[in-house]
Short mmCIF file of all heavy atoms in Angstrom, two decimals:
data_model
loop_
_atom_site.label_atom_id
_atom_site.label_comp_id
_atom_site.label_asym_id
_atom_site.label_seq_id
_atom_site.Cartn_x
_atom_site.Cartn_y
_atom_site.Cartn_z
N GLY Z 755 84.99 138.55 81.16
CA GLY Z 755 84.57 139.88 81.58
C GLY Z 755 84.34 139.97 83.07
O GLY Z 755 84.73 140.96 83.72
N ALA Z 756 83.71 138.93 83.65
CA ALA Z 756 83.48 138.93 85.09
C ALA Z 756 84.80 138.90 85.86
O ALA Z 756 84.98 139.59 86.87
CB ALA Z 756 82.61 137.73 85.48
N LEU Z 757 85.75 138.09 85.36
CA LEU Z 757 87.05 138.01 86.02
C LEU Z 757 87.79 139.35 85.92
O LEU Z 757 88.45 139.78 86.87
CB LEU Z 757 87.88 136.90 85.38
CG LEU Z 757 89.24 136.58 86.03
CD1 LEU Z 757 89.07 136.22 87.50
CD2 LEU Z 757 89.93 135.45 85.27
N ALA Z 758 87.67 140.01 84.76
CA ALA Z 758 88.30 141.33 84.60
C ALA Z 758 87.71 142.34 85.58
O ALA Z 758 88.42 143.17 86.15
CB ALA Z 758 88.13 141.82 83.17
N LEU Z 759 86.40 142.26 85.79
CA LEU Z 759 85.74 143.15 86.74
C LEU Z 759 86.28 142.92 88.14
O LEU Z 759 86.58 143.88 88.88
CB LEU Z 759 84.23 142.92 86.70
CG LEU Z 759 83.39 143.74 87.68
CD1 LEU Z 759 83.51 145.22 87.37
CD2 LEU Z 759 81.93 143.29 87.63
N VAL Z 760 86.44 141.66 88.53
CA VAL Z 760 86.94 141.34 89.87
C VAL Z 760 88.38 141.82 90.04
O VAL Z 760 88.73 142.44 91.06
CB VAL Z 760 86.83 139.83 90.13
CG1 VAL Z 760 87.55 139.46 91.43
CG2 VAL Z 760 85.38 139.39 90.18
N ILE Z 761 89.23 141.55 89.04
CA ILE Z 761 90.65 141.92 89.14
C ILE Z 761 90.80 143.44 89.21
O ILE Z 761 91.51 143.98 90.07
CB ILE Z 761 91.44 141.35 87.96
CG1 ILE Z 761 91.49 139.81 88.04
CG2 ILE Z 761 92.85 141.93 87.91
CD1 ILE Z 761 92.14 139.16 86.85
N THR Z 762 90.13 144.15 88.29
CA THR Z 762 90.29 145.61 88.23
C THR Z 762 89.69 146.28 89.46
O THR Z 762 90.32 147.15 90.09
CB THR Z 762 89.63 146.17 86.96
OG1 THR Z 762 90.11 145.46 85.82
CG2 THR Z 762 89.95 147.65 86.79
N ALA Z 763 88.48 145.87 89.82
CA ALA Z 763 87.84 146.47 91.00
C ALA Z 763 88.62 146.15 92.27
O ALA Z 763 88.76 147.00 93.16
CB ALA Z 763 86.40 145.98 91.12
N GLY Z 764 89.15 144.95 92.35
CA GLY Z 764 89.94 144.59 93.52
C GLY Z 764 91.21 145.41 93.64
O GLY Z 764 91.58 145.86 94.73
N SER Z 765 91.89 145.64 92.50
CA SER Z 765 93.13 146.43 92.53
C SER Z 765 92.84 147.87 92.91
O SER Z 765 93.53 148.46 93.76
CB SER Z 765 93.80 146.37 91.15
OG SER Z 765 94.15 145.03 90.81
N LEU Z 766 91.83 148.47 92.28
CA LEU Z 766 91.48 149.85 92.58
C LEU Z 766 90.95 149.98 94.01
O LEU Z 766 91.24 150.96 94.71
CB LEU Z 766 90.45 150.37 91.58
CG LEU Z 766 90.92 150.44 90.12
CD1 LEU Z 766 89.78 150.91 89.22
CD2 LEU Z 766 92.11 151.37 89.97
N GLY Z 767 90.16 149.00 94.43
CA GLY Z 767 89.63 149.03 95.79
C GLY Z 767 90.73 148.94 96.83
O GLY Z 767 90.67 149.61 97.87
N THR Z 768 91.74 148.10 96.56
CA THR Z 768 92.87 148.00 97.48
C THR Z 768 93.60 149.32 97.60
O THR Z 768 93.97 149.74 98.70
CB THR Z 768 93.84 146.90 97.01
OG1 THR Z 768 93.15 145.64 96.95
CG2 THR Z 768 95.03 146.80 97.94
N ALA Z 769 93.79 149.98 96.46
CA ALA Z 769 94.46 151.29 96.49
C ALA Z 769 93.65 152.30 97.29
O ALA Z 769 94.20 153.05 98.10
CB ALA Z 769 94.67 151.79 95.06
N ALA Z 770 92.33 152.31 97.09
CA ALA Z 770 91.49 153.27 97.81
C ALA Z 770 91.45 152.97 99.31
O ALA Z 770 91.48 153.88 100.14
CB ALA Z 770 90.07 153.24 97.23
N ALA Z 771 91.42 151.69 99.66
CA ALA Z 771 91.32 151.31 101.07
C ALA Z 771 92.60 151.57 101.83
O ALA Z 771 92.58 151.76 103.06
CB ALA Z 771 90.92 149.84 101.18
N THR Z 772 93.73 151.58 101.14
CA THR Z 772 95.02 151.75 101.81
C THR Z 772 95.64 153.12 101.56
O THR Z 772 96.83 153.31 101.77
CB THR Z 772 96.01 150.66 101.35
OG1 THR Z 772 96.17 150.76 99.91
CG2 THR Z 772 95.49 149.28 101.69
N MET Z 773 94.84 154.08 101.09
CA MET Z 773 95.35 155.41 100.78
C MET Z 773 95.94 156.06 102.03
O MET Z 773 95.36 156.03 103.11
CB MET Z 773 94.23 156.28 100.22
CG MET Z 773 94.69 157.65 99.74
SD MET Z 773 95.85 157.56 98.35
CE MET Z 773 94.79 156.92 97.07
N ARG Z 774 97.13 156.68 101.85
CA ARG Z 774 97.83 157.35 102.94
C ARG Z 774 98.03 158.82 102.59
O ARG Z 774 99.03 159.19 101.95
CB ARG Z 774 99.19 156.67 103.19
CG ARG Z 774 99.10 155.25 103.73
CD ARG Z 774 100.46 154.66 103.99
NE ARG Z 774 101.17 154.36 102.75
CZ ARG Z 774 101.06 153.22 102.08
NH1 ARG Z 774 100.25 152.26 102.54
NH2 ARG Z 774 101.73 153.00 100.97
N PRO Z 775 97.12 159.70 102.99
CA PRO Z 775 97.25 161.13 102.66
C PRO Z 775 98.52 161.77 103.21
O PRO Z 775 99.04 162.72 102.65
CB PRO Z 775 96.00 161.75 103.30
CG PRO Z 775 95.03 160.62 103.45
CD PRO Z 775 95.86 159.41 103.71
N GLN Z 776 99.02 161.25 104.33
CA GLN Z 776 100.21 161.84 104.94
C GLN Z 776 101.46 161.61 104.10
O GLN Z 776 102.52 162.19 104.40
CB GLN Z 776 100.44 161.27 106.35
CG GLN Z 776 100.82 159.80 106.41
CD GLN Z 776 99.60 158.88 106.41
OE1 GLN Z 776 98.50 159.32 106.09
NE2 GLN Z 776 99.80 157.63 106.78
N ALA Z 777 101.37 160.80 103.05
CA ALA Z 777 102.54 160.55 102.20
C ALA Z 777 103.03 161.81 101.52
O ALA Z 777 104.21 161.90 101.14
CB ALA Z 777 102.21 159.48 101.15
N ILE Z 778 102.15 162.81 101.35
CA ILE Z 778 102.55 164.06 100.70
C ILE Z 778 103.60 164.79 101.51
O ILE Z 778 104.36 165.61 100.99
CB ILE Z 778 101.31 164.96 100.47
CG1 ILE Z 778 101.66 166.16 99.59
CG2 ILE Z 778 100.75 165.44 101.80
CD1 ILE Z 778 102.03 165.79 98.19
N GLU Z 779 103.69 164.48 102.81
CA GLU Z 779 104.66 165.16 103.66
C GLU Z 779 106.06 164.58 103.50
O GLU Z 779 107.04 165.20 103.96
CB GLU Z 779 104.23 165.06 105.13
CG GLU Z 779 102.88 165.72 105.41
CD GLU Z 779 102.45 165.56 106.86
OE1 GLU Z 779 103.23 164.94 107.62
OE2 GLU Z 779 101.37 166.03 107.21
N GLU Z 780 106.21 163.41 102.87
CA GLU Z 780 107.51 162.78 102.73
C GLU Z 780 107.72 162.35 101.28
O GLU Z 780 107.85 161.15 100.98
CB GLU Z 780 107.63 161.58 103.66
CG GLU Z 780 107.50 161.94 105.14
CD GLU Z 780 107.58 160.72 106.03
OE1 GLU Z 780 107.55 159.59 105.49
OE2 GLU Z 780 107.64 160.88 107.26
N PRO Z 781 107.76 163.30 100.34
CA PRO Z 781 107.95 162.92 98.94
C PRO Z 781 109.41 162.64 98.62
O PRO Z 781 110.32 163.07 99.33
CB PRO Z 781 107.46 164.17 98.19
CG PRO Z 781 107.80 165.29 99.13
CD PRO Z 781 107.62 164.74 100.52
N ARG Z 782 109.61 161.89 97.54
CA ARG Z 782 110.93 161.77 96.94
C ARG Z 782 110.92 162.61 95.67
O ARG Z 782 109.92 162.70 94.97
CB ARG Z 782 111.27 160.30 96.62
CG ARG Z 782 111.49 159.46 97.86
CD ARG Z 782 111.94 158.05 97.51
NE ARG Z 782 110.91 157.28 96.83
CZ ARG Z 782 110.98 156.86 95.58
NH1 ARG Z 782 112.05 157.13 94.85
NH2 ARG Z 782 109.99 156.17 95.04
N TYR Z 783 112.08 163.21 95.35
CA TYR Z 783 112.14 164.15 94.24
C TYR Z 783 112.99 163.57 93.12
O TYR Z 783 113.97 162.87 93.34
CB TYR Z 783 112.75 165.48 94.69
CG TYR Z 783 111.97 166.17 95.78
CD1 TYR Z 783 112.27 165.94 97.13
CD2 TYR Z 783 110.95 167.04 95.49
CE1 TYR Z 783 111.56 166.58 98.15
CE2 TYR Z 783 110.23 167.69 96.49
CZ TYR Z 783 110.54 167.45 97.81
OH TYR Z 783 109.85 168.07 98.81
N GLU Z 784 112.62 163.93 91.89
CA GLU Z 784 113.42 163.59 90.71
C GLU Z 784 113.53 164.83 89.85
O GLU Z 784 112.65 165.71 89.85
CB GLU Z 784 112.78 162.45 89.90
CG GLU Z 784 112.87 161.09 90.58
CD GLU Z 784 112.34 159.97 89.70
OE1 GLU Z 784 111.74 160.29 88.64
OE2 GLU Z 784 112.52 158.80 90.06
N GLY Z 785 114.61 164.89 89.03
CA GLY Z 785 114.79 166.04 88.15
C GLY Z 785 115.25 167.26 88.92
O GLY Z 785 115.90 167.17 89.97
N LEU Z 786 114.91 168.45 88.41
CA LEU Z 786 115.31 169.68 89.07
C LEU Z 786 114.73 169.81 90.46
O LEU Z 786 115.26 170.52 91.31
CB LEU Z 786 114.88 170.89 88.22
CG LEU Z 786 115.59 171.06 86.87
CD1 LEU Z 786 114.99 172.23 86.12
CD2 LEU Z 786 117.09 171.26 87.07
N LEU Z 787 113.61 169.10 90.71
CA LEU Z 787 112.97 169.20 92.01
C LEU Z 787 113.79 168.54 93.12
O LEU Z 787 113.42 168.63 94.28
CB LEU Z 787 111.58 168.56 91.97
CG LEU Z 787 110.53 169.36 91.19
CD1 LEU Z 787 109.22 168.59 91.17
CD2 LEU Z 787 110.34 170.73 91.79
N VAL Z 788 114.89 167.87 92.75
CA VAL Z 788 115.77 167.33 93.79
C VAL Z 788 116.23 168.45 94.71
O VAL Z 788 116.44 168.25 95.92
CB VAL Z 788 116.98 166.62 93.15
CG1 VAL Z 788 118.04 166.30 94.18
CG2 VAL Z 788 116.52 165.34 92.47
N ASN Z 789 116.35 169.68 94.16
CA ASN Z 789 116.78 170.82 94.96
C ASN Z 789 115.65 171.47 95.73
O ASN Z 789 115.87 172.43 96.47
CB ASN Z 789 117.42 171.88 94.05
CG ASN Z 789 118.66 171.37 93.37
OD1 ASN Z 789 119.46 170.69 93.98
ND2 ASN Z 789 118.83 171.68 92.09
N ALA Z 790 114.42 170.97 95.58
CA ALA Z 790 113.27 171.64 96.16
C ALA Z 790 113.35 171.78 97.68
O ALA Z 790 113.03 172.84 98.22
CB ALA Z 790 111.98 170.93 95.77
N PRO Z 791 113.77 170.75 98.44
CA PRO Z 791 113.80 170.93 99.89
C PRO Z 791 114.71 172.08 100.32
O PRO Z 791 114.38 172.83 101.23
CB PRO Z 791 114.32 169.58 100.40
CG PRO Z 791 113.94 168.61 99.34
CD PRO Z 791 114.10 169.37 98.05
N ALA Z 792 115.84 172.24 99.65
CA ALA Z 792 116.76 173.31 100.03
C ALA Z 792 116.23 174.68 99.60
O ALA Z 792 116.45 175.68 100.26
CB ALA Z 792 118.13 173.07 99.39
N ILE Z 793 115.53 174.70 98.47
CA ILE Z 793 115.04 175.98 97.94
C ILE Z 793 113.79 176.43 98.65
O ILE Z 793 113.64 177.58 99.04
CB ILE Z 793 114.79 175.86 96.43
CG1 ILE Z 793 116.11 175.58 95.70
CG2 ILE Z 793 114.13 177.11 95.87
CD1 ILE Z 793 115.94 175.25 94.25
#
């Protein structure tokens, strides 16, 4: 249980510490949204 706490908290903490809000400006599209930049 202690090891699970360390692994899970470490993974989530890494994601939170390295969050890049500017990524929303450069998305990749899949599906019908592939046409979104042109539309």
Side-chain angles (χ1 to χ4, degrees):
L757 185 58
L759 178 63
V760 171
I761 293 175
T762 308
S765 299
L766 297 177
T768 300
T772 59
M773 186 64 67
R774 293 182 289 273
Q776 67 274 15
I778 189 66
E779 299 178 0
E780 299 178 351
R782 290 185 293 114
Y783 300 91
E784 288 185 351
L786 293 176
L787 288 177
V788 168
N789 297 319
I793 296 172

